[in-house]
Amino acid sequence: MKNCLVLCLSVAIGCAMARADVVDIAFDHSSQTGSPGDTVKFFGTLTNTSSDTVFLNSDSLNLSGFPLSSITDLFANAPLSLAGGANSGDIELFDAVIPNAFPSSSNPGNYALLGGGMSDLNIVGAVDFTVHVEGISSVPEPSFSRLLTFGLALLAAVRWVAAPKIAINRS
């Protein structure tokens, strides 16, 4: 009797684990590049690959090297649920603001949707992404006053060369 109960529980738990509501997350561009101070926006689609309705209750994101405060718009545009086989259409999933003075680097991250039932927080879909940070150019721009002076000198030289020579006759 005890073995039968253990077997039935094992089968029930196995079936529950095998029946995972799956949401396919497809980014438009899973690898984005920006400079310090830029905001990179991640757009994508959410597709329910199961035949049952999946409730989307929250999301989770980690981005290596970035402070949590630099991630915005989490879960702002996601639908509350997806019917079986439904697609969200192209939506903005989240933004990442590259902090000022952030060093050049390649930063891997992971985005996960949590849900399942109306109040579940199971992972129903996850996808990896990357934010590449380009360094700020160390070549300074010429100062405005030098450019202005050079421009005026160039205009004066062109006028002097192109000016018609007037012969003055003194008699």
Side-chain angles (χ1 to χ4, degrees):
M1 182 68 170
K2 186 177 180 180
N3 288 342
C4 184
L5 181 61
V6 169
L7 179 63
C8 286
L9 285 174
S10 298
V11 170
I13 290 172
C15 288
M17 292 172 82
R19 188 205 162 272
D21 296 320
V22 177
V23 175
D24 180 44
I25 305 167
F27 285 128
D28 293 351
H29 304 282
S30 63
S31 181
Q32 300 220 22
T33 303
S35 297
D38 290 350
T39 299
V40 290
K41 298 175 181 275
F42 284 86
F43 287 81
T45 59
L46 309 175
T47 304
N48 182 354
T49 59
S50 74
S51 58
D52 297 330
T53 296
V54 175
F55 288 89
L56 305 176
N57 301 323
S58 184
D59 59 2
S60 168
L61 184 137
N62 64 47
L63 180 55
S64 177
F66 277 62
L68 290 177
S69 62
S70 65
I71 308 300
T72 60
D73 291 337
L74 279 170
F75 210 60
N77 301 312
L80 297 176
S81 65
L82 284 172
N87 182 296
S88 67
D90 200 31
I91 59 174
E92 184 175 5
L93 297 170
F94 63 92
D95 298 341
V97 178
I98 302 172
N100 290 325
F102 202 83
S104 295
S105 56
S106 181
N107 306 281
N110 181 272
Y111 178 73
L113 282 172
L114 308 174
M118 286 186 73
S119 60
D120 292 342
L121 292 178
N122 301 318
I123 296 176
V124 295
V127 66
D128 293 328
F129 65 95
T130 306
V131 175
H132 300 282
V133 179
E134 295 178 336
I136 297 174
S137 174
S138 60
V139 178
E141 292 186 28
S143 71
F144 178 75
S145 61
R146 275 196 259 161
L147 283 175
L148 184 62
T149 303
F150 177 73
L152 291 174
L154 185 63
L155 283 173
V158 167
R159 184 174 173 156
W160 182 74
V161 169
K165 304 293 182 193
I166 299 174
I168 299 177
N169 235 347
R170 294 189 191 198
S171 330

